[in-house]
């Protein structure tokens, strides 16, 4: 073989080797960039989920407070002497709707499903109160206001918990 042919073959082999090495590192760089983008996307998704959950929880606490105030007003409008009045029917309606709302939003109010719910207890007691209080109306009234205080305290604590943990940008 001639010297120039050997030189051309060596040059070609060196060029091919350089090209292969360059492609290898380019592919490695692209793979690292894709992995980094996937990590960033996963972090963005996690942050979006955390913020969306925070907003949903905060809205649920605000709605729970609204239901609590609606129950409070309706309870105070029911005269204890004549519970079959329109006000008593309105209290029953609000208690039913509040319970339905609670059942849909319970996971946003608590970090996990609660065993017994003071909110449901309050709506049940409000219904018994609206229907006359059963055999012991005074006990029902006391139990209802105790539940009211308990629910009110929980809503206030939960609102503080959430606002103290407010996700910062």
């Amino acid at each position: 073989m001639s010297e120039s042919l050997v030189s051309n073959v060596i040059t070609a082999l060196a060029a091919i080797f350089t090209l292969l090495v360059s492609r290898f590192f380019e592919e490695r760089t692209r793979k690292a960039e894709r992995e980094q983008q996937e990590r960033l996307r996963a972090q963005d998704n996690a942050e979006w989920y955390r913020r969306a959950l925070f907003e949903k929880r905060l809205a649920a606490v605000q709605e729970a407070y609204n239901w609590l105030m609606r129950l409070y007003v309706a309870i105070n409008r029911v005269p204890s002497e004549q519970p079959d009045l329109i006000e008593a029917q309105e209290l029953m309606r609000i208690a039913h709707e509040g319970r339905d709302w609670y059942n849909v939003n319970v996971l946003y109010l608590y970090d996990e499903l609660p065993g017994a719910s003071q909110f449901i207890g309050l709506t049940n007691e409000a219904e018994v109160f609206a229907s006359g209080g059963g055999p012991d109306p005074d006990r029902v009234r006391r139990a209802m206001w105790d539940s009211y205080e308990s629910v009110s305290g929980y809503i206030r604590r939960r609102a503080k918990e959430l606002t103290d943990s407010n996700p910062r940008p």
Side-chain angles (χ1 to χ4, degrees), residues 145-161:
W145 286 116
D146 288 346
S147 289
Y148 174 86
E149 290 301 322
S150 177
V151 171
S152 177
Y154 176 77
I155 290 171
R156 292 174 198 284
R157 285 188 306 278
R158 185 64 171 160
K160 181 163 178 27
E161 241 177 61

Side-chain angles (χ1 to χ4, degrees), residues 94-114:
I94 289 171
H96 281 280
E97 289 176 7
R99 186 180 306 113
D100 290 343
W101 172 85
Y102 175 86
N103 289 334
V104 170
N105 291 281
V106 65
L107 282 176
Y108 298 118
L109 292 173
Y110 300 91
D111 292 327
E112 57 188 36
L113 284 175

Side-chain angles (χ1 to χ4, degrees), residues 11 15-16 25 33 40 48 51-52 57 84 92-93 99 107 110 122-123 127 129 134 139 145 150 152 164-166:
T11 303
I16 290 171
F25 283 110
E33 287 173 354
L40 289 174
W48 173 85
R51 286 180 175 278
R57 284 179 170 167
D84 59 333
M92 283 187 174
R93 185 187 65 74
R99 186 180 306 113
L107 282 176
Y110 300 91
L122 173 59
T123 60
E127 284 183 355
F129 173 72
R139 186 204 59 78
W145 286 116
S150 177
S152 177
D164 288 349
S165 72
N166 182 14

Side-chain angles (χ1 to χ4, degrees), residues 9-124:
V9 168
I10 290 175
T11 303
L13 288 174
I16 290 171
F17 178 75
T18 303
L19 179 65
L20 289 174
V21 168
S22 138
R23 291 285 166 101
F24 171 78
F25 283 110
E26 285 174 9
E27 183 57 34
R28 199 167 155 195
T29 301
R30 271 191 239 122
K31 183 180 177 188
E33 287 173 354
R34 276 193 310 271
E35 289 171 353
Q36 177 65 15
Q37 288 173 346
E38 288 172 11
R39 277 192 299 278
L40 289 174
R41 195 169 335 153
Q43 288 173 349
D44 287 347
N45 289 343
E47 178 64 17
W48 173 85
Y49 177 78
R50 190 174 70 84
R51 286 180 175 278
L53 184 59
F54 168 79
E55 290 170 7
K56 192 75 168 153
R57 284 179 170 167
L58 193 59
V61 168
Q62 178 60 46
E63 289 178 52
Y65 182 78
N66 180 47
W67 278 107
L68 186 66
M69 292 299 102
R70 289 180 69 190
L71 282 165
Y72 177 83
V73 169
I75 289 167
N76 282 307
R77 287 186 178 159
V78 174
S80 51
E81 308 82 43
Q82 297 176 316
D84 59 333
L85 295 173
I86 293 171
E87 290 86 359
Q89 292 172 356
E90 178 68 5
L91 174 56
M92 283 187 174
R93 185 187 65 74
I94 289 171
H96 281 280
E97 289 176 7
R99 186 180 306 113
D100 290 343
W101 172 85
Y102 175 86
N103 289 334
V104 170
N105 291 281
V106 65
L107 282 176
Y108 298 118
L109 292 173
Y110 300 91
D111 292 327
E112 57 188 36
L113 284 175
S117 166
Q118 289 289 332
F119 191 90
I120 295 297
L122 173 59
T123 60
N124 290 342

